[in-house]
Every structure is written in structure tokens, then in C-alpha cells.
Amino acid sequence: MRAARKGDVIVAEPTSASHTPGEALSVGELLNRSLEPLLQWLGVSPTNPLQLLVPSANERRSLNQVATTSFSHTLCNNALLELRTGNDPEQRVVIPSSVRVLIDAPPLALTWASANMVKRIRMRTADELEATLRLIELASEFCGSYARDASDPRSGACFFDKPNHERPFAHLNELQESLHAMHGANGLRLARKVAGHAIDGSGSPMETYLNLALTLPPRLAGVSMARPLANHQLVVDEDIRPLIDHKSLRPDLQWPDYNTLAEFLGDESHASKSARVEDKNRIKDYVTAQYAPIILMFDDVRNQTALNQTIQAIARELMRNGKRGELYRVSRILEDKSFLARQQTLIKTLLPPITRYDG
């Protein structure tokens, strides 16, 4: 699914299919259906078998390079995506028009991931808080405008949708509705729980990290701030709009009820002179719109001390703009030693690896 977001090799599109395949095919049969390039691109091998869903335990097969899993539960209409030939003529994998290749869409993918995490937590091979945070991050990626590297999700380069042309695989309300429409699947209870904490419209792993650090409840290592709008058109009064030079202003995080916003500036992407001029002009428009802009860089969130200084700075602005007692409430949370231990897990789990730009 992550590779399909980029769209050069393969593309994934919504499909009306709402059931699993009726039979398990061997790799040989798949090759005969002209899917060898797809299998090669996926790296299918005895140690990396193709995962196939079948409708019942009776349909499961023990086949070389294929692992079958029975799934007899009813699927919601948007539980699957269909793969199509990619957009890049030089890289794309051609999928014959006579063949339908269906993959998990976000509701089903999140359910499988949750089932796997439940198993690992029970076997004590995964920490419960860390596992939960990774699942919330995954759900946020599904509902965001970026996709992590399919081969190296933690450290690889991300793919980002073009500004104003975002195409997430799901919106958060759709993901939540789909999960509640499903029944009986392993992992579904945890998937519903994590979807309740996920972010809609996040633009990068760094935005997801900061947003969750602010908004998750303290038991999940956040400080329970009011949820900001993420990458949403700036909310301004109509009489102010003509005074703003930019037609589109979409800060990373905004709290319109308190005229406060936060924006993260990546080191490299904002290093050129033209980028710095654009940043200056955009910040000028934020001020014209009567918002208090909080501008952040990696050093402002790189460790627990920096992150908590940033959290308090945001709380201070929210309180200055009408959020009563916010700084005092947040400060009490940050004095709790058990909370700080959980927060260290959040930072270790969600802080993206950053290649610093020192030019």
C-alpha cells in the first residue's frame, strides 16, 4: 500500500469488491497469469511468502512461497484496494487487464497490524505502550498526505503528496466507520481504539509525532491538548481575508478558537533563500490574520527537554488567547514522573530520524 501511494510502479485504487478471493493460487498459477513482474517486485520467495486471504479454513493451502490466512468475516465495502499498472513507463509493473489483484485497504490493514501487535503483547515480545503508539502512527499515516518507505518504514525516505493535491487512502471518519462496520476479526477491538486517537490530514511523520505528543491522553504519553486542525485552510474572518496575500494558508497545526498555530520548518526544505522569503511572508500573513504563530524546527522537539519546552510554549499561547489554566494544567502533567517515563517511550517510538542540513 505504501508503494502504491507513490504510484510509479503500481497504483492502488478503491474497488467495489467486498469479499476475499474464492481460492488460493500457487505461485506457478500466478506466473501463468502474467503476474511474474509483480511477484518479483514484491520480492516473493520461500522466506518472504505471498500473503493470501481465503474465505475459510478449508481453503488454506501449504504452498511454496505462498502463505494463506482464512478470513470468513464480512468485509465493509472499502476494506480492499485494487492494484493497477503504475504511472512511470520505465518503472511500472504491468498488471494484465484480465487479472484483478486486491490488497488490504486501511481498515483491514490496521486490523491485521493490530492483531499482530496483540499477539506480540501477549507473548511479551512487544511493549504495550510502544505497540499502541506505532498503531496510532500507522492509522495517522493512512489518513495523511505522506507514505513511509515500503522497504524501510522507520528510516527510509518518505513520499509526500503534492500540496493541494493530497490523496489519502482514507479519511479518519471513514476509517472509524469502516472499523465499526466490521465484526469478529482478530485485532478489531484494538484497531478501533487506536483509530480513535489517530490524526486526520497529517503532512509528515514529524507532524504526526508533535500532534500526538500534544493531543494523546496522559496514559498514552500525551498532554491532552485540544485537537488542532491539521493542514487545514486557515480559519479567518471574512473582513480579514482581503488583507492576506496568500490565497492558501494551511499551517501544520491550528487552534482557531484560540488564534494560535504551530508550523514545523524542516531543516533542508526551508534552507534556500526563496524558501526563507516564503516562510517570512507566510508568517507575516499569519500575524495579519491575528494568529500567534509558533515556528518550530527539529531542535525544538529533538528530546524530552526540548519537546516539553515547546509543549509549554504552545500551552502558554493558548492560555494567553483564552484557554483558561492551560499552562498550569500541562505543567502539572509534566511534573509526573510516571508520565515522563511514558513520554520517553513516545519520543523513542515516534520521533522520526532526521538528516540534519548544516549548509
Side-chain angles (χ1 to χ4, degrees), residues 68-84:
T68 55
T69 301
S70 61
F71 189 87
S72 58
H73 308 289
T74 301
L75 297 178
C76 53
N77 289 334
N78 57 349
L80 300 170
L81 295 169
E82 184 164 358
L83 295 188
R84 304 286 190 190

Side-chain angles (χ1 to χ4, degrees), residues 104-300:
D104 301 344
L108 193 54
L110 185 62
T111 300
W112 288 124
S114 298
N116 182 56
M117 285 298 189
V118 168
K119 185 183 300 184
R120 292 183 59 195
I121 291 168
R122 288 174 179 169
M123 296 175 63
R124 298 185 179 180
T125 60
D127 174 78
E128 183 173 0
L129 176 57
E130 182 177 347
T132 302
L133 291 171
R134 289 202 185 281
L135 289 169
I136 295 171
E137 179 189 41
L138 179 63
S140 299
E141 179 185 336
F142 288 154
C143 299
S145 59
Y146 67 95
R148 289 181 177 273
D149 189 318
S151 60
D152 185 9
R154 300 312 308 170
S155 302
C158 284
F159 168 76
F160 301 96
D161 292 339
K162 294 180 181 179
N164 300 311
H165 292 84
E166 292 82 0
R167 46 186 182 85
F169 276 134
H171 292 290
L172 185 56
N173 63 334
E174 296 170 347
L175 177 61
Q176 293 169 340
E177 290 172 2
S178 297
L179 290 171
H180 282 284
M182 294 172 60
H183 298 283
N186 293 335
L188 189 54
R189 181 178 179 181
L190 179 56
R192 289 170 177 170
K193 174 183 174 182
V194 301
H197 295 295
I199 299 161
D200 203 25
S202 183
S204 71
M206 184 61 78
E207 290 179 27
T208 298
Y209 159 68
L210 177 59
N211 199 324
L212 294 178
L214 295 172
T215 62
L216 287 176
R219 70 179 184 277
L220 294 177
V223 296
S224 285
M225 278 191 182
R227 281 199 174 195
L229 299 176
N231 295 290
H232 190 282
Q233 179 66 30
L234 192 71
V235 179
V236 297
D237 294 335
E238 288 302 319
D239 58 338
I240 293 177
R241 192 174 301 279
L243 305 177
I244 298 174
D245 291 331
H246 286 77
K247 292 182 179 179
S248 177
L249 279 172
R250 304 199 304 171
D252 298 337
L253 310 174
Q254 65 169 301
W255 292 266
D257 290 343
Y258 305 104
N259 290 83
T260 300
L261 63 85
E263 189 150 293
F264 185 84
L265 305 184
D267 281 4
E268 187 169 358
S269 60
H270 292 263
S272 68
K273 180 179 179 180
S274 61
R276 293 196 299 270
V277 170
E278 168 58 22
D279 291 338
K280 176 184 72 68
N281 292 335
R282 192 169 63 256
I283 293 167
K284 179 182 176 182
D285 273 349
Y286 289 150
V287 174
T288 301
Q290 301 180 358
Y291 274 75
I294 299 171
I295 306 304
L296 305 171
M297 298 187 74
F298 178 73
D299 286 343
D300 296 304

